[in-house]
Amino acid sequence: MSDPASSNTAAPAVVCDPKIIDLIKAEKEKENDCWTSLEFFPPRSEAGVTNLTKRMERMKVINPLFTDVTWGAGGSTADLSTTIAKTMRETGYVANLHMTCTNMSDGIDPVTSIKNALDEARDAGIRNIVALRGDPPHGEEVWTTSEGGFSCALDLVKFMRKTYGDEFGVSVSGYPEGHPVAITQLTDEEALNMSPAEKGRCSVRDGITCVCKDADYKKELIYLKEKVDAGSDFIMTQMFFDTTVYGTFVKDCRDFGITCPIIPGLMCINAYKGFMNMTKFCKTRVPESLFAKLEEIKDDDATVKAFGVTFGAQMCKDIIAYNDTPGLHFYTLNLEKVVYGILDAIGVTKSASVKTDESDAKSMVAVGSAWARVGDIVSTSDGEGTVTEMQPDGTATIVLNNLDSAGEKKPSLKLGVTEYSKVMTS
């Protein structure tokens, strides 16, 4: 006879996260128009992951409505992203797991691979997914569809609703200035003949004007509405630094029949180099006054962070004034000082800044960053250098910027993906 104490013992039921859209609706009923949410990325090293867990514990002081974790370029962080999402839940957060169309497992067809990832998330109690197309993997400039896989985020949204019904809350991305692939570099003549709307969202860098043309912008809105109509609960925007562009985007969405919540994605200014690299890669519109101020203070890291707080706080106040903003979503870059400073400044938190600990900042290097491309500045054990060639597995050829003892430039190095890091922070 079996021991009754050891038989028929069921595993404890997993307590599932609430859906974020339900949390948003509840905040609206409470007339709370200034809730917050956070985004983290999977660090490259074990030490970085450990430090991120400690940071997430500290940042609970913000009481975010939910917390995102990104999915690396080419599906490079699939397992780690899911693990971090589970840790978020254990820490007390509502996890919002990014997921892309990119094939993630060798030898498995991409649709099965994505379903396996969704099943794992569901079984762990994760009930919120950000459906994305995703960035190309290391060494590839252009995103391509995996054979037999999905071609865009819309396909992923449709698959999730068909396969899982309403088990998951689903969100998608929106681009106030147009998706980077829909942004065109203009000739001088074209730049002189932009429409008023194009002038309002264009970016100018080194004398070159880029913009999502009106016809392409309309296509973006059509596609965004398709994603929402297919079952997306809400939209989170790409970063922007001109709040007028965000306000115009929200109005355009409403005029187009998109009625779901639109959450502004706010990139914190933590460092001059990181800001310049990100905005260049994404072709982001940057007001001339912002460029000028950062150029003025670029050599003083502490002053840049302090300005990041001041600028970010004013952005938040401007956004809230639009009265169509249910919350503020912060792209933290796995750091906390500027986020704390902004939230203290706008009255969401009190003295959160005193809890700042960024002594681990150097460990916050992303796995599989889509920003590590030819021409980028990276850090190596031999100093900083410029990427001149990138292989699909992330192996990079790097020409060092510093000189050797004889005053000659050092030869180029070929380093694996774990042996260099993109220069993103000071």
Side-chain angles (χ1 to χ4, degrees), residues 3 109 210:
D3 181 358
D109 78 86
C210 296

Side-chain angles (χ1 to χ4, degrees), residues 24 32 36 66 78 84 102 202 210 214 332 360 385 389:
I24 292 174
N32 180 6
T36 61
F66 62 90
I84 291 174
T102 309
C202 73
C210 296
D214 288 338
T332 68
D360 60 357
E389 184 178 354

Side-chain angles (χ1 to χ4, degrees), residues 50 86 121-122 135:
T50 299
K86 294 176 182 177
R122 179 192 59 187
D135 292 315

Side-chain angles (χ1 to χ4, degrees), residues 130-175:
V130 186
L132 303 163
R133 188 202 69 175
D135 292 315
H138 277 295
E140 297 182 20
E141 295 294 324
V142 179
W143 191 92
T144 56
T145 303
S146 299
E147 185 176 354
F150 302 137
S151 63
C152 59
L154 176 60
D155 291 343
L156 181 53
V157 174
K158 288 180 176 178
F159 173 79
M160 290 182 65
R161 289 309 186 203
K162 179 180 179 181
T163 307
Y164 298 94
D166 64 353
E167 283 191 86
F168 287 104
V170 181
S171 54
V172 293
S173 59
Y175 298 85

Side-chain angles (χ1 to χ4, degrees), residues 165-355:
D166 64 353
E167 283 191 86
F168 287 104
V170 181
S171 54
V172 293
S173 59
Y175 298 85
E177 299 166 17
H179 192 285
V181 300
I183 294 176
T184 302
Q185 180 176 320
L186 303 184
T187 64
D188 290 343
E189 183 177 354
E190 287 175 322
L192 290 172
N193 291 288
M194 287 189 292
S195 70
E198 289 171 340
K199 289 178 181 178
R201 62 175 174 266
C202 73
S203 65
V204 181
R205 190 100 171 222
D206 301 324
I208 297 173
T209 301
C210 296
V211 73
C212 182
K213 295 181 177 180
D214 288 338
D216 293 325
Y217 183 75
K218 183 177 180 180
K219 292 177 183 177
E220 293 274 291
L221 290 174
I222 291 172
Y223 177 61
L224 182 57
K225 190 172 189 305
E226 288 177 341
K227 290 193 290 185
V228 173
D229 290 346
S232 303
D233 297 321
F234 63 96
I235 296 163
M236 292 192 292
T237 76
Q238 170 70 297
M239 67 176 179
F240 57 90
F241 294 95
D242 185 336
T243 55
T244 302
V245 173
Y246 169 76
T248 299
F249 174 71
V250 172
K251 182 180 183 302
D252 290 342
C253 286
R254 301 310 184 214
D255 291 345
F256 222 76
I258 298 171
T259 61
C260 69
I262 300 174
I263 315 302
L266 304 171
M267 181 64 73
C268 297
I269 300 176
N270 281 281
Y272 174 80
K273 287 182 179 178
F275 173 84
M276 297 299 285
N277 288 334
M278 285 186 292
T279 54
K280 182 177 181 179
F281 176 77
C282 295
K283 305 173 186 175
T284 306
R285 176 182 175 87
V286 179
E288 185 57 39
S289 59
L290 178 54
F291 266 140
K293 182 62 178 179
L294 285 172
E295 192 66 28
E296 175 188 326
I297 62 176
K298 65 180 181 181
D299 296 322
D300 188 329
D301 298 337
T303 300
V304 170
K305 278 187 180 287
F307 174 72
V309 169
T310 302
F311 184 84
Q314 187 59 56
M315 277 190 69
C316 290
K317 293 174 183 177
D318 292 345
I319 290 166
I320 293 169
Y322 284 117
N323 295 322
D324 197 347
T325 305
L328 302 168
H329 184 69
F330 290 93
Y331 301 123
T332 68
L333 296 178
N334 287 15
L335 299 172
E336 62 197 67
K337 185 173 184 176
V338 176
V339 177
Y340 284 158
I342 291 171
L343 295 179
D344 279 352
I346 65 174
V348 173
T349 54
K350 293 182 178 179
S351 303
S353 298
V354 301
K355 301 179 182 297

